[in-house]
Amino acid sequence: MRATRALTTMVAIVALAGCGERAQDRTATTGVGKVDGALLANGGDGRDWAMTGFDYTEDRFSPLKQVNAGNVSKLGLAWFADMPDARGHEATPVVVDGKMFVTGPWSKVFAYDAATGAKLWEFDPGVSKDKGVQACCDVVNRGVAAWKGRLYLGTIDGRLIALDAATGKPDWSVQTTDNSKPYTITGAPRVVKDMVIIGNGGAEFGVRGYVTAYDAATGAKKWRFYTVPNPSGAKDGEASDAAMEKVSPTWSKNGQWKQSGGGGTVWDSIVYDPELDQLYLGVGNGSPWNHGLRSEGQGDNLFLSSIVALKPETGEYIWHYQETPGETWDFTATQPINLATLNIGGQQRKVLMQAPKNGFFYVVDRTNGKLINAGQFIPGVNWASGYDMKTGRPIENPAARFYKTGKPFLAMPSAIAAHNWQPMSFSRQTGLAYIPAQSVGAAYVPPSSPLDGPKPIGFNVGQDLGDAMYPRDVTAVKAATAGATGALVAWDPVANKARWTVPYPTPWNGGTMATAGNLVFQGTALGEFRAYAADTGKQLFSYNAGTGVMAGAATYMVGNTQYVAVLAGRGGALPLSIGYAIGKARDVPNKPRLLVFKLGGTAQLPAAAAVAPRPTPPAPSGTPEQIAQGRLLFGRYCQVCHGASAAGGGVLPDLQHSGVLGDADTWKSILIDGALKDQGMVSFAKVLTPEQAQLIRLYVIDEANWAAKNLTDAAPAPNPGQPPKKTGVR
Ligand code: CA
């Protein structure tokens, strides 16, 4: 008897340790406990916004219409919440039965009463700040998934965490990545048939992309699908093995992919199709970008830049469509995918739609992966003139393959994208897709130095990053700034053309949401939250958010009131890497907040704090040779976070106005000794000598003086970072 009891106890302990097979059932008839496949299949009556994309179609179209084109001008602030970290805010809130769950930088989760704004709980996964240097595009997070009483969170250090939605306490946590490699997670998990599906990022540094399915109750792994072949040639023993055997001939025998892993990360869009019971992955760019180096210029390199359909239960391959064969411009196919049924040529077609980085809007038959339409949604796309509809392949401009010509190629669009992660919506009322589009060109330049090759810190993309900054030419800098613009494009996927367009003076505007009230909501980089008539594009509402807005909105009801919620706050790839390209948005403070509106709302934001005057840069002191060397080093190691030509975009400290430019010792303590590693600025001693760190300082001083003298009308960005005081740093 005693022995039996002891044995039973032991079994129970083993079960708990074994990933909690007897996980508590958190299903319920109300709250997050009620979120299941039936609710997510169609979003219910629209009172809840139960997943980041609204429902499984991910079209971000709400049936709510209390707020509509006739009354949206009366929308006012119901409540707001200050967010603690002035880094990028990209998440769409999830709202169920009057409770809101939203994520912020460093993978933190916040829960609120959705009607009053009262904070319910907060969860901080405690990500080590040194992971930030491996996040290509800021330490962002795009939201949680809700399912049967739990919330699922992907963290920037590669964990998938299940939280009890009622308390914010973790139920389980699994490490989904090898943390010795530069993997990150920024995307929202999706939950399908009691499995949580999660991808990852890291292709700018060198990783092999994959998605994994975990049991939603216990965290036990169900399957994994790699998107590119194993460089070792070995089988992985995973769901992707058969598909990888088929696609391995599309990769070269040698080439840098053998070391880098090839890329193909699935960092944002993963969409479940309940009609066809298929899962669609949006697959990212190659690693390194340069196809000549990656794959000896050979092969399509599947499944890079593709949409791949899988069987959700097993992760087995069904079909794929590759948008950019032989990807070499960071043209990911990770952008949001919307599902719809469209009448095309008199036939009802089940389609998916995507407006990825490369500037073409794709309509793909989701029963078989065949291309139906591909149309340019921004002007001036120059890497391809169109698509051969028989083969589904792009008609390329030979000059675009810079590694073949050996000449720089000025591309439109570029890695910054014609459309990046900012959510696209599709109105079931107007039949239009609303694309947060932009025009930002960039030069692709073959590497000129071995120092542009693989390195332990920084981007490994096979480009000449050292010399890829703005020239010392006022006209050129101003032209590049003026040439970077944005637009809200209302795209007709059947007619394959834009119905209307709203131009914006700067890129990096917000995601869109459409509603049955004939509305489209979108935030702007210059700090407005706007609503337009969905059918005509007429602007009907604008609110001064006081800060740039990038994220997509959500709408929901509590009691008899419809609310509209959006996260405001600047960050992400463009403000980090090309400060000049965000133009006048550099003048807009970065003050992140969650903003929630209702008709007749009367809450007021506090007045913006005065921007502190910037220190005048020290007088230039380097020799031309020192400055030239410092410029190359800055380009290679610093610009992707601190901006081309050291022009900050108001997210990280603007080095042209750094308070430590004149202080060689403090500069060294930061770059070499890692004095600010707890804020994410790690030591670069692995790649820079102390002497080289000083060359970078001399270059930044010189650049700051040049900009102060020549770009007087381009106001520098309000500096959100606290310039470190000399005392207190070592
Ligand atoms: Ca990329």
Side-chain angles (χ1 to χ4, degrees):
M1 192 63 186
R2 185 172 287 176
T4 309
R5 191 174 300 140
L7 194 65
T8 312
T9 309
M10 245 173 72
V11 168
I13 290 167
V14 168
L16 267 176
C19 228
E21 282 87 350
R22 294 184 188 173
Q24 193 174 338
D25 181 6
R26 297 199 184 280
T27 54
T29 52
T30 59
V32 173
K34 76 176 185 185
V35 179
D36 61 9
L39 175 60
L40 297 184
N42 59 19
D45 55 12
R47 290 180 63 87
D48 300 315
W49 188 280
M51 60 182 283
T52 50
F54 179 62
D55 66 10
Y56 278 145
T57 69
E58 305 220 9
D59 64 5
R60 295 172 182 257
F61 174 79
S62 166
L64 298 184
K65 50 190 174 187
Q66 182 183 82
V67 179
N68 57 56
N71 62 18
V72 69
S73 63
K74 298 187 178 67
L75 208 58
L77 196 63
W79 59 269
F80 69 93
D82 287 336
M83 304 304 282
D85 300 301
R87 301 288 295 265
H89 284 71
E90 299 188 351
T92 307
V94 165
V95 187
V96 182
D97 280 349
K99 289 185 177 151
M100 181 187 296
F101 309 97
V102 68
T103 60
W106 301 110
S107 327
K108 294 176 186 175
V109 189
F110 306 87
Y112 302 93
D113 179 307
T116 67
K119 195 190 268 185
L120 304 174
W121 52 258
E122 186 177 329
F123 174 73
D124 179 353
V127 171
S128 171
K129 297 290 189 286
D130 60 10
K131 195 67 190 172
V133 77
Q134 294 178 341
C136 71
C137 309
D138 209 349
V139 290
V140 294
N141 188 282
R142 283 181 291 278
V144 292
W147 184 266
K148 297 187 179 175
R150 293 189 175 88
L151 302 173
Y152 300 93
L153 167 74
T155 66
I156 200 86
D157 57 5
R159 286 172 284 164
L160 176 67
I161 301 177
L163 302 174
D164 175 357
T167 63
K169 300 250 184 317
D171 269 352
W172 55 257
S173 173
V174 291
Q175 182 68 40
T176 73
T177 56
D178 174 352
N179 236 339
S180 72
K181 299 197 166 124
Y183 284 104
T184 50
I185 299 178
T186 58
R190 293 347 188 249
V191 190
V192 177
K193 298 181 165 187
D194 293 311
M195 289 180 295
V196 191
I197 320 287
I198 189 76
N200 45 52
E204 270 57 58
F205 303 89
V207 297
R208 182 182 178 209
Y210 58 87
V211 297
T212 317
Y214 295 92
D215 183 288
T218 66
K221 183 182 149 194
K222 307 287 271 189
W223 53 258
R224 176 165 291 177
F225 186 91
Y226 285 96
T227 59
V228 296
N230 190 331
S232 77
K235 282 195 163 54
D236 296 297
E238 303 285 2
S240 42
D241 275 352
M244 288 305 107
E245 202 171 323
K246 270 195 198 153
V247 304
S248 60
T250 70
W251 291 77
S252 67
K253 287 254 180 320
N254 298 302
Q256 285 186 13
W257 77 279
K258 292 280 182 174
Q259 291 79 46
S260 69
T265 50
V266 181
W267 54 262
D268 195 45
S269 197
I270 301 173
V271 175
Y272 176 60
D273 176 349
E275 287 181 301
L276 299 176
D277 193 27
Q278 298 182 149
L279 190 69
Y280 308 116
L281 313 180
V283 183
N285 56 277
S287 188
W289 297 350
N290 186 326
H291 185 235
L293 296 175
R294 184 179 68 242
S295 187
E296 302 178 289
Q298 296 162 21
D300 288 348
N301 291 182
L302 290 167
F303 293 114
L304 295 183
S305 193
S306 301
I307 295 171
V308 181
L310 304 181
K311 291 182 188 167
E313 269 89 358
T314 60
E316 289 168 279
Y317 167 89
I318 304 172
W319 57 253
H320 76 275
Y321 173 68
Q322 188 174 40
E323 294 171 348
T324 312
E327 192 291 302
T328 194
W329 307 275
D330 187 22
F331 282 169
T332 65
T334 52
Q335 279 56 44
I337 294 168
N338 296 180
L339 307 186
T341 300
L342 300 177
N343 189 314
I344 296 175
Q347 273 189 308
Q348 292 293 107
R349 303 283 296 271
K350 291 187 199 310
V351 305
L352 60 81
M353 298 175 285
Q354 190 185 41
K357 279 189 173 186
N358 72 15
F360 286 89
F361 188 101
Y362 297 85
V363 182
V364 173
D365 185 329
R366 55 188 151 98
T367 66
N368 57 20
K370 293 279 179 290
L371 182 65
I372 295 173
N373 274 334
Q376 295 179 6
F377 64 87
I378 62 160
V381 172
N382 66 359
W383 71 275
S385 58
Y387 272 71
D388 177 335
M389 296 308 292
K390 279 210 184 91
T391 61
R393 295 177 73 91
I395 303 159
E396 280 190 19
N397 171 4
R401 295 214 174 254
F402 56 93
Y403 60 87
K404 281 191 178 164
T405 66
K407 291 181 195 145
F409 177 65
L410 184 59
M412 179 64 78
S414 62
I416 288 297
H419 170 217
N420 211 306
W421 58 267
Q422 286 88 340
M424 174 173 90
S425 58
F426 173 77
S427 166
R428 299 175 205 179
Q429 229 168 34
T430 63
L432 301 176
Y434 301 97
I435 314 165
Q438 55 190 15
S439 295
V440 185
Y444 290 79
V445 186
S448 57
S449 153
L451 290 175
D452 288 312
K455 49 189 178 293
I457 303 185
F459 274 27
N460 290 317
V461 294
Q463 299 280 317
D464 186 345
L465 287 178
D467 207 26
M469 294 196 292
Y470 289 98
R472 287 290 173 82
D473 176 333
V474 177
T475 312
V477 172
K478 287 187 175 171
T481 303
T485 59
L488 170 58
V489 176
W491 187 263
D492 183 335
V494 177
N496 199 31
K497 65 179 186 186
R499 287 286 178 204
W500 53 260
T501 297
V502 176
Y504 293 121
T506 67
W508 216 243
N509 299 289
T512 68
M513 174 184 74
T515 76
N518 188 29
L519 291 172
V520 180
F521 289 88
Q522 185 185 24
T524 75
L526 292 175
E528 288 177 80
F529 184 58
R530 290 184 177 184
Y532 300 95
D535 53 355
T536 65
K538 185 179 179 206
Q539 187 182 317
L540 302 173
F541 168 75
S542 172
Y543 177 83
N544 179 1
T547 196
V549 183
M550 313 187 292
T555 187
Y556 57 92
M557 286 191 88
V558 182
N560 294 319
T561 305
Q562 182 185 351
Y563 296 84
V564 176
V566 69
L567 264 180
R570 181 160 74 244
L574 183 57
L576 285 184
S577 61
I578 324 180
Y580 284 142
I582 66 169
K584 293 289 179 202
R586 293 181 87 208
D587 302 344
V588 179
N590 193 4
K591 176 66 186 142
R593 286 191 178 108
L594 174 60
L595 304 172
V596 180
F597 301 87
K598 64 176 180 181
L599 292 174
T602 56
Q604 297 280 333
L605 293 180
V611 176
R614 289 174 185 73
T616 307
S621 56
T623 66
E625 292 74 27
Q626 287 175 316
I627 290 163
Q629 286 178 50
R631 181 177 188 273
L632 288 172
L633 293 166
F634 185 93
R636 253 170 223 128
Y637 300 110
C638 317
Q639 70 164 326
V640 292
C641 288
H642 288 284
S645 300
V651 182
L652 293 177
D654 189 331
L655 297 186
Q656 286 190 11
H657 303 94
S658 166
V660 300
L661 279 182
D663 181 344
D665 290 345
T666 304
W667 187 267
K668 184 221 164 216
S669 75
I670 296 170
L671 268 73
I672 301 300
D673 306 331
L676 297 181
K677 67 177 165 40
D678 292 344
Q679 295 171 41
M681 174 60 201
V682 298
S683 161
F684 278 68
K686 273 187 205 161
V687 289
L688 294 173
T689 64
E691 293 70 32
Q692 288 176 317
Q694 296 307 326
L695 295 175
I696 291 174
R697 188 176 65 86
L698 296 174
Y699 158 69
V700 176
I701 291 172
D702 192 69
E703 191 74 64
N705 278 278
W706 182 84
K709 188 172 160 214
N710 294 289
L711 303 174
T712 44
D713 58 337
N719 193 337
Q722 296 296 316
K725 296 184 183 75
K726 193 175 179 186
T727 53
V729 179
R730 283 199 41 181

